[in-house]
Amino acid sequence: MEKTAVVGKKRNEGSLSFRIKKNRAVYLMLAPYFILFFFFTILPVLTSMALSFSSFNVLEPPVFTGWSNYIRLFLDDDIFKTALKNTLILAVVTGPISYIMCLMFAWIINEFKPWMRAFLTLIFYAPSISGNAYMVWNLILKGDRYGFLNGMLMELNLIETARIWMKDEKYVLLFLIVVQLWLSLGTGFLTFIAGLQTIDKALYEAGAVDGLKNRWQELWYITLPSMKPQLMFGAVMQITQSLAISDVSINLAGSPSVNYAGATLVTHLIDQGTIRYEMGYASAIATLLFLLMIGTNKLAQKILRKVGT
Amino acid sequence: MGRYKEMLQIIKPKMVNRSLAGNLFLLLFMAICGVFMAAPLVLIVCNAFKPLDELFRYPPTLFPRNPSLDNFSDLTVLMSNSWVPLTRYIINTLIIVGGGTVGHVLLASLAAYPLAKRDFPGNRLLFGIVILSLMFSWQVTQIPNYLIISRLGINNTYLALILPASAYGLGLYLMKQFMEQIPDSLLESAVLDGASELRIYWSIVMPNVKPAWLTLAVLQFQQMWGNTGSMFLRDEELKPLQFSLQQIIGGGPARQGAAAVVTLIIAAVPITFFMLCQSNIIETMATSGMKE
């Protein structure tokens, strides 16, 4: 009898409502952040998903239209196809390359003494935080002979007349990739630099004793496995960034870009939403982009978990 | 030979498994890549000091031949003639960026402390949602965000920019990961002394995570500094400095000189803040890894 009473009391203490009550102070601390987080992150995602099944022009209330937005996207919208193709090309190229760049530069920078390390970190990180200063590339890629690229190539007699680089379908995507890579050494890069500094030096000495012969073997057998958590976080940063490319395209290639050569999912979304006021349709694009980003990230996490196992 | 070795002293001495050839190769490689990264930034600096005729010269030159401060005085004239006084734009920026930064650091750290240090129902779920939010970018939600902000009735107020910025996911994530390394013993003794959770947060946790809140402040500043606010703010008197700077950049050939200075200002401000806090930021990022 007594025994069951004690068990009963224990069960009561472990019960959900008891634990919630006990942590009242904790929930009060969480509330301000998570209320705002709900309104400006969770609710927008849900709203976007709901609106994607409707026709909505802001002025009149939304009308439920089923899958018609999605059907129109895939069957009836050539610009969407171009935008999807460009987004995937940009992501497949800049995503992995920028990730490897972050890792490689961080690894090399870590070989230097602290003052040089700080200096190089600043140089490589600066473009990603300098706001829209990347518009300086407009001067480099300018379509007349005052542009730096044209000027240089003409001086070297490689081209005869100035080329209008960003108005030529052949070059738009190429230069967007170059500028995007220039901009891409951001948060992921800093994480790698920081992660490398936390690796225990004794591991390398032990590695040398165990027969590692050069820095490349060290990288593969010691460094990478030791910074797996940073590798996973960096991947999230680079993937999300590479799928959201839009401002660079709008500011360098124009909006709309020539024959939509620089259109991406985000520029198409902005075009449909803020210019044409087709909020339902834009929400369908947003929802697809959301699923694409989450899916790619989850896949990358799965792959990276295998590093060193 | 000795002298060359001395030159290479910028590379850490006494590391195992390093060859001189390898060091030389890496130095050369970094020099080339460094030039590619730095050249556009150097161009921004140089352009600010070029007189107008040098901005339109063929062939274009990187460095100014007759450096002058004309562009700076042009900019001051332009700014002093604007319809809304410059000081107003600066005050707006201080309110928006200041509010969003302070709000974010406070709210994110207040929520990060229990997530990092307390076991309560919903802990893993809430943090899981925050991690999920890192996996998509703000562009995905910009349209519903606009609708929600209108519905909340804060359109065309500072709050339309401050409130969403206060609840970004990345800051909470970084703060929580950094707080995990605070030793539990430090907190336990405070609990035994009868301190409330809020008290522990303010007088024990916060002083111990100074690098993290500096990092959040700098990252948040970078985010908010570039925002012209034109999506939410209609009244000219509410718009931030960034908006008026962007107007000058879009001002056509006659304003290229002033625009060059503006580009320099836009880039230099966040870079300076990063420089000042670099070591704290690196310390915070060291704990940013994802432990599944």
Side-chain angles (χ1 to χ4, degrees), chain B residues 183-209:
Chain B
D184 284 328
S185 55
L186 204 63
L187 304 176
E188 273 156 25
S189 57
V191 172
L192 289 178
D193 287 347
S196 67
E197 289 289 15
L198 208 58
R199 174 106 225 132
I200 298 174
Y201 157 75
W202 189 251
S203 47
I204 297 173
V205 175
M206 280 306 260
N208 272 298
V209 295

mmCIF file of all heavy atoms in Angstrom, chain B residues 183-209:
data_model
loop_
_atom_site.group_PDB
_atom_site.id
_atom_site.type_symbol
_atom_site.label_atom_id
_atom_site.label_comp_id
_atom_site.label_asym_id
_atom_site.label_seq_id
_atom_site.Cartn_x
_atom_site.Cartn_y
_atom_site.Cartn_z
ATOM 1 N N PRO B 183 30.103 26.229 -17.319
ATOM 2 C CA PRO B 183 30.068 25.061 -16.428
ATOM 3 C C PRO B 183 28.794 25.038 -15.579
ATOM 4 O O PRO B 183 28.379 26.069 -15.036
ATOM 5 C CB PRO B 183 31.317 25.230 -15.557
ATOM 6 C CG PRO B 183 31.857 26.567 -15.844
ATOM 7 C CD PRO B 183 31.254 27.087 -17.092
ATOM 8 N N ASP B 184 28.180 23.852 -15.470
ATOM 9 C CA ASP B 184 26.945 23.720 -14.689
ATOM 10 C C ASP B 184 27.158 24.101 -13.232
ATOM 11 O O ASP B 184 26.255 24.624 -12.586
ATOM 12 C CB ASP B 184 26.425 22.284 -14.776
ATOM 13 C CG ASP B 184 25.761 22.035 -16.126
ATOM 14 O OD1 ASP B 184 25.183 22.990 -16.666
ATOM 15 O OD2 ASP B 184 25.847 20.900 -16.623
ATOM 16 N N SER B 185 28.367 23.821 -12.716
ATOM 17 C CA SER B 185 28.624 24.082 -11.291
ATOM 18 C C SER B 185 28.402 25.552 -10.954
ATOM 19 O O SER B 185 27.918 25.900 -9.878
ATOM 20 C CB SER B 185 30.050 23.669 -10.948
ATOM 21 O OG SER B 185 30.949 24.321 -11.818
ATOM 22 N N LEU B 186 28.747 26.417 -11.925
ATOM 23 C CA LEU B 186 28.585 27.855 -11.725
ATOM 24 C C LEU B 186 27.115 28.201 -11.467
ATOM 25 O O LEU B 186 26.784 29.027 -10.623
ATOM 26 C CB LEU B 186 29.073 28.573 -12.987
ATOM 27 C CG LEU B 186 29.530 30.014 -12.859
ATOM 28 C CD1 LEU B 186 30.734 30.086 -11.957
ATOM 29 C CD2 LEU B 186 29.866 30.550 -14.239
ATOM 30 N N LEU B 187 26.226 27.537 -12.235
ATOM 31 C CA LEU B 187 24.806 27.827 -12.109
ATOM 32 C C LEU B 187 24.217 27.160 -10.868
ATOM 33 O O LEU B 187 23.359 27.725 -10.197
ATOM 34 C CB LEU B 187 24.058 27.345 -13.352
ATOM 35 C CG LEU B 187 24.572 27.897 -14.687
ATOM 36 C CD1 LEU B 187 23.828 27.278 -15.849
ATOM 37 C CD2 LEU B 187 24.445 29.410 -14.726
ATOM 38 N N GLU B 188 24.708 25.940 -10.559
ATOM 39 C CA GLU B 188 24.147 25.208 -9.416
ATOM 40 C C GLU B 188 24.321 25.962 -8.107
ATOM 41 O O GLU B 188 23.413 26.017 -7.286
ATOM 42 C CB GLU B 188 24.785 23.824 -9.319
ATOM 43 C CG GLU B 188 24.050 22.799 -10.161
ATOM 44 C CD GLU B 188 24.932 21.625 -10.542
ATOM 45 O OE1 GLU B 188 25.914 21.349 -9.811
ATOM 46 O OE2 GLU B 188 24.636 20.985 -11.566
ATOM 47 N N SER B 189 25.500 26.552 -7.926
ATOM 48 C CA SER B 189 25.714 27.259 -6.667
ATOM 49 C C SER B 189 24.748 28.431 -6.527
ATOM 50 O O SER B 189 24.285 28.737 -5.435
ATOM 51 C CB SER B 189 27.161 27.728 -6.562
ATOM 52 O OG SER B 189 27.467 28.542 -7.655
ATOM 53 N N ALA B 190 24.433 29.051 -7.658
ATOM 54 C CA ALA B 190 23.481 30.166 -7.608
ATOM 55 C C ALA B 190 22.081 29.673 -7.255
ATOM 56 O O ALA B 190 21.347 30.317 -6.502
ATOM 57 C CB ALA B 190 23.456 30.898 -8.948
ATOM 58 N N VAL B 191 21.717 28.479 -7.803
ATOM 59 C CA VAL B 191 20.406 27.910 -7.476
ATOM 60 C C VAL B 191 20.329 27.629 -5.984
ATOM 61 O O VAL B 191 19.324 27.927 -5.328
ATOM 62 C CB VAL B 191 20.160 26.616 -8.288
ATOM 63 C CG1 VAL B 191 18.894 25.927 -7.818
ATOM 64 C CG2 VAL B 191 20.070 26.931 -9.777
ATOM 65 N N LEU B 192 21.417 27.074 -5.417
ATOM 66 C CA LEU B 192 21.435 26.771 -3.987
ATOM 67 C C LEU B 192 21.296 28.040 -3.149
ATOM 68 O O LEU B 192 20.712 28.037 -2.082
ATOM 69 C CB LEU B 192 22.731 26.038 -3.613
ATOM 70 C CG LEU B 192 22.807 24.603 -4.143
ATOM 71 C CD1 LEU B 192 24.135 23.967 -3.762
ATOM 72 C CD2 LEU B 192 21.645 23.762 -3.634
ATOM 73 N N ASP B 193 21.847 29.148 -3.661
ATOM 74 C CA ASP B 193 21.714 30.414 -2.940
ATOM 75 C C ASP B 193 20.314 30.999 -3.064
ATOM 76 O O ASP B 193 20.036 32.058 -2.503
ATOM 77 C CB ASP B 193 22.715 31.447 -3.492
ATOM 78 C CG ASP B 193 24.126 31.108 -3.061
ATOM 79 O OD1 ASP B 193 24.263 30.257 -2.159
ATOM 80 O OD2 ASP B 193 25.074 31.676 -3.620
ATOM 81 N N GLY B 194 19.455 30.339 -3.841
ATOM 82 C CA GLY B 194 18.070 30.788 -3.956
ATOM 83 C C GLY B 194 17.847 31.866 -5.005
ATOM 84 O O GLY B 194 16.823 32.545 -4.987
ATOM 85 N N ALA B 195 18.810 32.036 -5.928
ATOM 86 C CA ALA B 195 18.621 33.059 -6.964
ATOM 87 C C ALA B 195 17.557 32.614 -7.958
ATOM 88 O O ALA B 195 17.441 31.439 -8.270
ATOM 89 C CB ALA B 195 19.943 33.306 -7.683
ATOM 90 N N SER B 196 16.768 33.566 -8.453
ATOM 91 C CA SER B 196 15.741 33.236 -9.447
ATOM 92 C C SER B 196 16.419 33.024 -10.804
ATOM 93 O O SER B 196 17.549 33.458 -11.018
ATOM 94 C CB SER B 196 14.734 34.371 -9.556
ATOM 95 O OG SER B 196 15.367 35.506 -10.113
ATOM 96 N N GLU B 197 15.689 32.371 -11.735
ATOM 97 C CA GLU B 197 16.251 32.117 -13.064
ATOM 98 C C GLU B 197 16.659 33.416 -13.751
ATOM 99 O O GLU B 197 17.691 33.496 -14.395
ATOM 100 C CB GLU B 197 15.215 31.379 -13.934
ATOM 101 C CG GLU B 197 14.969 29.942 -13.542
ATOM 102 C CD GLU B 197 16.145 29.014 -13.873
ATOM 103 O OE1 GLU B 197 17.247 29.505 -14.147
ATOM 104 O OE2 GLU B 197 15.940 27.790 -13.849
ATOM 105 N N LEU B 198 15.823 34.446 -13.602
ATOM 106 C CA LEU B 198 16.096 35.724 -14.240
ATOM 107 C C LEU B 198 17.386 36.343 -13.699
ATOM 108 O O LEU B 198 18.199 36.894 -14.422
ATOM 109 C CB LEU B 198 14.907 36.662 -14.017
ATOM 110 C CG LEU B 198 14.689 37.721 -15.078
ATOM 111 C CD1 LEU B 198 14.490 37.088 -16.441
ATOM 112 C CD2 LEU B 198 13.504 38.603 -14.724
ATOM 113 N N ARG B 199 17.525 36.195 -12.378
ATOM 114 C CA ARG B 199 18.704 36.714 -11.689
ATOM 115 C C ARG B 199 19.960 35.980 -12.198
ATOM 116 O O ARG B 199 20.979 36.596 -12.484
ATOM 117 C CB ARG B 199 18.489 36.488 -10.190
ATOM 118 C CG ARG B 199 19.598 36.799 -9.282
ATOM 119 C CD ARG B 199 19.345 38.089 -8.497
ATOM 120 N NE ARG B 199 20.577 38.858 -8.538
ATOM 121 C CZ ARG B 199 20.655 40.144 -8.842
ATOM 122 N NH1 ARG B 199 19.563 40.821 -9.093
ATOM 123 N NH2 ARG B 199 21.808 40.761 -8.883
ATOM 124 N N ILE B 200 19.865 34.647 -12.295
ATOM 125 C CA ILE B 200 21.005 33.854 -12.774
ATOM 126 C C ILE B 200 21.366 34.278 -14.192
ATOM 127 O O ILE B 200 22.535 34.486 -14.520
ATOM 128 C CB ILE B 200 20.664 32.345 -12.753
ATOM 129 C CG1 ILE B 200 20.386 31.886 -11.324
ATOM 130 C CG2 ILE B 200 21.797 31.526 -13.350
ATOM 131 C CD1 ILE B 200 19.905 30.459 -11.214
ATOM 132 N N TYR B 201 20.332 34.443 -15.022
ATOM 133 C CA TYR B 201 20.548 34.849 -16.404
ATOM 134 C C TYR B 201 21.310 36.174 -16.468
ATOM 135 O O TYR B 201 22.308 36.311 -17.172
ATOM 136 C CB TYR B 201 19.196 34.990 -17.120
ATOM 137 C CG TYR B 201 19.202 35.893 -18.323
ATOM 138 C CD1 TYR B 201 19.767 35.480 -19.517
ATOM 139 C CD2 TYR B 201 18.649 37.176 -18.260
ATOM 140 C CE1 TYR B 201 19.780 36.310 -20.623
ATOM 141 C CE2 TYR B 201 18.659 38.007 -19.363
ATOM 142 C CZ TYR B 201 19.228 37.574 -20.543
ATOM 143 O OH TYR B 201 19.242 38.408 -21.631
ATOM 144 N N TRP B 202 20.848 37.135 -15.668
ATOM 145 C CA TRP B 202 21.396 38.476 -15.802
ATOM 146 C C TRP B 202 22.770 38.615 -15.160
ATOM 147 O O TRP B 202 23.665 39.233 -15.734
ATOM 148 C CB TRP B 202 20.420 39.491 -15.213
ATOM 149 C CG TRP B 202 20.822 40.904 -15.522
ATOM 150 C CD1 TRP B 202 21.311 41.817 -14.651
ATOM 151 C CD2 TRP B 202 20.804 41.533 -16.810
ATOM 152 N NE1 TRP B 202 21.587 42.989 -15.308
ATOM 153 C CE2 TRP B 202 21.290 42.842 -16.641
ATOM 154 C CE3 TRP B 202 20.425 41.122 -18.092
ATOM 155 C CZ2 TRP B 202 21.408 43.743 -17.692
ATOM 156 C CZ3 TRP B 202 20.552 42.024 -19.143
ATOM 157 C CH2 TRP B 202 21.030 43.307 -18.934
ATOM 158 N N SER B 203 22.934 38.018 -13.956
ATOM 159 C CA SER B 203 24.201 38.313 -13.268
ATOM 160 C C SER B 203 25.246 37.205 -13.400
ATOM 161 O O SER B 203 26.409 37.430 -13.073
ATOM 162 C CB SER B 203 23.961 38.671 -11.796
ATOM 163 O OG SER B 203 23.101 37.745 -11.218
ATOM 164 N N ILE B 204 24.868 36.016 -13.885
ATOM 165 C CA ILE B 204 25.897 34.985 -14.075
ATOM 166 C C ILE B 204 26.085 34.634 -15.548
ATOM 167 O O ILE B 204 27.205 34.662 -16.071
ATOM 168 C CB ILE B 204 25.561 33.715 -13.262
ATOM 169 C CG1 ILE B 204 25.553 34.051 -11.775
ATOM 170 C CG2 ILE B 204 26.583 32.617 -13.552
ATOM 171 C CD1 ILE B 204 25.083 32.947 -10.905
ATOM 172 N N VAL B 205 24.983 34.332 -16.229
ATOM 173 C CA VAL B 205 25.112 33.881 -17.616
ATOM 174 C C VAL B 205 25.596 35.017 -18.527
ATOM 175 O O VAL B 205 26.597 34.871 -19.238
ATOM 176 C CB VAL B 205 23.771 33.308 -18.127
ATOM 177 C CG1 VAL B 205 23.887 32.950 -19.598
ATOM 178 C CG2 VAL B 205 23.387 32.082 -17.323
ATOM 179 N N MET B 206 24.912 36.139 -18.502
ATOM 180 C CA MET B 206 25.253 37.204 -19.441
ATOM 181 C C MET B 206 26.709 37.675 -19.361
ATOM 182 O O MET B 206 27.361 37.832 -20.393
ATOM 183 C CB MET B 206 24.294 38.391 -19.281
ATOM 184 C CG MET B 206 22.951 38.187 -19.970
ATOM 185 S SD MET B 206 23.110 37.763 -21.705
ATOM 186 C CE MET B 206 22.787 39.360 -22.452
ATOM 187 N N PRO B 207 27.245 37.933 -18.151
ATOM 188 C CA PRO B 207 28.651 38.358 -18.111
ATOM 189 C C PRO B 207 29.612 37.304 -18.663
ATOM 190 O O PRO B 207 30.699 37.627 -19.120
ATOM 191 C CB PRO B 207 28.915 38.570 -16.609
ATOM 192 C CG PRO B 207 27.574 38.763 -16.008
ATOM 193 C CD PRO B 207 26.634 37.934 -16.817
ATOM 194 N N ASN B 208 29.172 36.021 -18.652
ATOM 195 C CA ASN B 208 30.049 34.965 -19.127
ATOM 196 C C ASN B 208 29.971 34.726 -20.624
ATOM 197 O O ASN B 208 30.731 33.921 -21.159
ATOM 198 C CB ASN B 208 29.718 33.653 -18.406
ATOM 199 C CG ASN B 208 30.494 33.543 -17.107
ATOM 200 O OD1 ASN B 208 31.716 33.511 -17.119
ATOM 201 N ND2 ASN B 208 29.771 33.540 -16.006
ATOM 202 N N VAL B 209 29.021 35.352 -21.290
ATOM 203 C CA VAL B 209 28.906 35.126 -22.737
ATOM 204 C C VAL B 209 29.113 36.422 -23.523
ATOM 205 O O VAL B 209 28.542 36.611 -24.579
ATOM 206 C CB VAL B 209 27.546 34.492 -23.113
ATOM 207 C CG1 VAL B 209 27.418 33.114 -22.518
ATOM 208 C CG2 VAL B 209 26.384 35.372 -22.677
#
